[in-house]
Amino acid sequence: MKNNLKYLENQVEELKKDGVYRILPINYGPCANVIDLNHKEVVNLSSNNYLGLAGNKRVKKAAINAVKKFGAGTGSVRTIVGNMSILEELEDLLAEFKREEAVTCFQSGLNCNIGAIQAIVNKGDLIISDELNHASIIDGVRLSRADKAVYKHSDMEDLERVLKEKRKDYNTCLIITDGVFSMDGDLAKLPEIVELAKKYDCLTYVDDAHGSGVLGESGRGTVDHFKLHGQVDFIIGTLSKAIGVIGGYVASKKIVKEWLLHRARPLLFSTALPPAAIGATIESVKMLMESEEYTDKLWDNAKYFKERMKNLGFDIGHSETPITPVMVGNEAKTMEFSKALLANGVFVSGIVFPTVPKGTGRLRCMISAMHTKDDLDFAIKVFEKVGKELKII
Ligand SMILES: *Cc1c(COP(=O)(O)O)cnc(C)c1O
């Protein structure tokens, strides 16, 4: 018989030859500060569980209670019978938390970008996008069939150059940026972007996946951090990172929600979030609204870790958030560093091309409120030992 899948075999062979074929590590327990990874106990510096809420007792209990009341699944898309009261409750709570008029929930952050961008712009419109925007934004832009222009990362002069050149040729123009850039931990220059959007009559779209639960008062996000409420048209957040569960949302004016409920394809053609996830998320958001304990601990840990890593002589880039890249450069050396850390009990994933530009390989340390000072001290000691062995410091 003819092997029709031969082309995939060839492609996988290529991956192996290039040294980029990977076997997924297996976590045998919950996402915590210390995890049982491939049956080895290691300090976990690789999760987006910024506040430790994924394993929080109150959050887990809320998930169980939601299952008891609403069951395991919602039974259909939201436009038929999948729109449970608990989901409406979550959206109202999130709108209050984000200090915006309305919130529309999606099944994930990726799904939200793919659904929202394609619903709000069309063929004949223009999207202007930061060159380091997340992959899910890039996919959403493609699906929208709008024209796309890219500006150099956080370069406001370049953004204005694009606006001067192209704005006049289009009706609707949407400027899209990450709120926090996930590989470097730097913030978008939102005040300047909002100014330029006003000057050139554009809409603004901020994907705040890594800012939600991290920046602003009690983790209200980048827009709150810059005090720009009411001035960004579409604020995207995830419920899967700091909030600790799963899902994505758009915070916006009410009219945006009305439109998304009619045109966002993930809401029309994919089943709504399950009750367990919704119940857990409601509890996480309530906990953030009650106290700044979790965000304070996160920032305290991040500062502690960064200061010590910098003093050891590591190049930790220009992050302004708990994301702490340890710059290495060479791709093979980055992967070697990551492997050696793991062998010594610390899991930090190596990030290399094509996720980041060639020659800018790094280890991305994700600091969380769930880490104890002992966890961080241990990780720092291992970094020092391996860093010296590999002549990185
Ligand atoms: C992680 C991330 C997403 C995807 O969020 P999920 O909820 O995991 O699907 C989208 N945008 C950005 C900027 C992200 O960092």
Side-chain angles (χ1 to χ4, degrees):
M1 205 177 93
K2 188 166 173 276
N3 180 0
N4 288 328
L5 297 178
K6 184 72 189 158
Y7 74 104
L8 289 183
E9 283 173 22
N10 294 341
Q11 283 167 210
V12 169
E13 264 324 299
E14 282 293 311
L15 294 179
K16 287 180 178 165
K17 242 196 292 170
D18 295 344
V20 292
Y21 180 83
R22 63 170 153 231
I23 295 163
L24 302 182
I26 300 172
N27 180 7
Y28 286 87
C31 176
N33 53 336
V34 176
I35 53 174
D36 180 11
L37 197 71
N38 292 339
H39 291 313
K40 184 179 154 70
E41 209 173 81
V42 294
V43 171
N44 170 19
L45 290 190
S46 286
S47 88
N48 299 317
N49 186 16
Y50 284 109
L51 303 174
L53 294 176
N56 181 280
K57 266 198 198 127
R58 267 178 71 178
V59 175
K60 289 198 285 186
K61 200 159 161 217
I64 292 164
N65 288 340
V67 170
K68 284 186 182 154
K69 184 159 179 202
F70 290 96
T74 44
S76 91
V77 300
R78 288 185 75 178
T79 47
I80 306 178
V81 293
N83 192 42
M84 286 179 165
S85 58
I86 192 173
L87 182 52
E88 293 272 331
E89 187 192 327
L90 170 61
E91 291 186 331
D92 290 346
L93 182 72
L94 277 172
E96 188 192 335
F97 177 61
K98 297 293 283 189
R99 299 182 171 134
E100 300 292 333
E101 268 183 27
V103 159
T104 317
C105 280
F106 288 74
Q107 300 89 336
S108 77
L110 175 139
N111 191 302
C112 178
N113 277 329
I114 286 177
I117 298 172
Q118 110 173 273
I120 58 186
V121 289
N122 283 305
K123 205 168 175 178
D125 295 334
L126 176 67
I127 294 171
I128 308 182
S129 181
D130 187 290
E131 68 179 339
L132 292 189
N133 278 345
H134 191 258
S136 57
I137 293 178
I138 296 169
D139 291 354
V141 170
R142 279 188 193 139
L143 284 169
S144 76
R145 298 192 295 164
D147 286 349
K148 170 182 170 180
V150 174
Y151 62 96
K152 287 194 200 119
H153 175 52
S154 278
D155 183 335
M156 295 299 105
E157 275 173 29
D158 200 43
L159 171 56
E160 185 151 24
R161 175 191 62 79
V162 174
L163 285 163
K164 271 189 188 144
E165 239 169 62
K166 307 209 160 175
R167 175 67 189 97
K168 59 185 182 312
D169 300 331
Y170 295 89
N171 286 324
T172 300
C173 174
L174 178 67
I175 303 174
I176 305 190
T177 182
D178 280 14
V180 174
F181 290 88
S182 52
M183 295 304 148
D184 293 279
D186 55 327
L187 304 190
K189 292 183 177 150
L190 270 195
E192 288 94 330
I193 291 173
V194 165
E195 272 314 302
L196 284 171
K198 274 185 202 152
K199 184 171 166 190
Y200 289 90
D201 187 26
C202 300
L203 296 169
T204 45
Y205 184 110
V206 176
D207 179 352
D208 210 20
H210 283 278
S212 317
V214 175
L215 285 161
E217 189 194 340
S218 267
R220 282 174 170 78
T222 311
V223 172
D224 186 78
H225 170 82
F226 285 116
K227 306 268 176 298
L228 289 170
H229 289 290
Q231 299 189 63
V232 173
D233 298 289
F234 310 95
I235 305 165
I236 280 49
T238 55
L239 302 170
S240 35
K241 288 176 175 146
I243 301 298
V245 194
I246 194 146
Y249 60 86
V250 184
S252 64
K253 295 276 191 304
K254 279 206 176 85
I255 187 69
V256 172
K257 177 168 183 166
E258 282 181 58
W259 180 247
L260 291 176
L261 290 176
H262 288 86
R263 282 293 181 278
R265 295 170 72 84
L267 301 186
L268 306 183
F269 302 114
S270 185
T271 299
L273 278 169
I278 303 169
T281 303
I282 289 173
E283 197 64 21
S284 289
V285 176
K286 279 186 181 162
M287 286 167 70
L288 289 188
M289 288 169 85
E290 278 166 20
S291 124
E292 295 201 79
E293 175 193 341
Y294 295 92
T295 44
D296 284 351
K297 178 87 190 296
L298 166 66
W299 282 94
D300 189 46
N301 276 350
K303 282 180 190 138
Y304 183 89
F305 182 78
K306 284 184 183 195
E307 200 178 293
R308 277 152 187 81
M309 290 293 283
K310 210 172 175 176
N311 289 343
L312 283 174
F314 285 109
D315 172 3
I316 58 168
H318 50 274
S319 170
E320 299 163 78
T321 61
I323 296 171
T324 309
V326 175
M327 307 308 287
V328 180
N330 178 276
E331 279 72 24
K333 188 130 194 183
T334 305
M335 299 321 284
E336 189 188 353
F337 196 6
S338 171
K339 247 189 212 160
L341 289 169
L342 183 61
N344 283 274
V346 179
F347 182 57
V348 195
S349 41
I351 313 262
V352 295
F353 180 81
T355 307
V356 293
K358 259 204 176 114
T360 69
R362 72 208 55 188
L363 297 175
R364 190 175 62 144
C365 304
M366 300 298 283
I367 305 305
S368 163
M370 67 188 168
H371 292 122
T372 63
K373 286 276 160 25
D374 280 352
D375 296 333
L376 298 177
D377 286 338
F378 175 77
I380 292 159
K381 223 191 285 155
V382 169
F383 257 104
E384 183 181 12
K385 173 177 175 270
V386 178
K388 280 180 178 161
E389 279 167 13
L390 296 181
K391 300 199 165 49
I392 286 161
I393 50 170

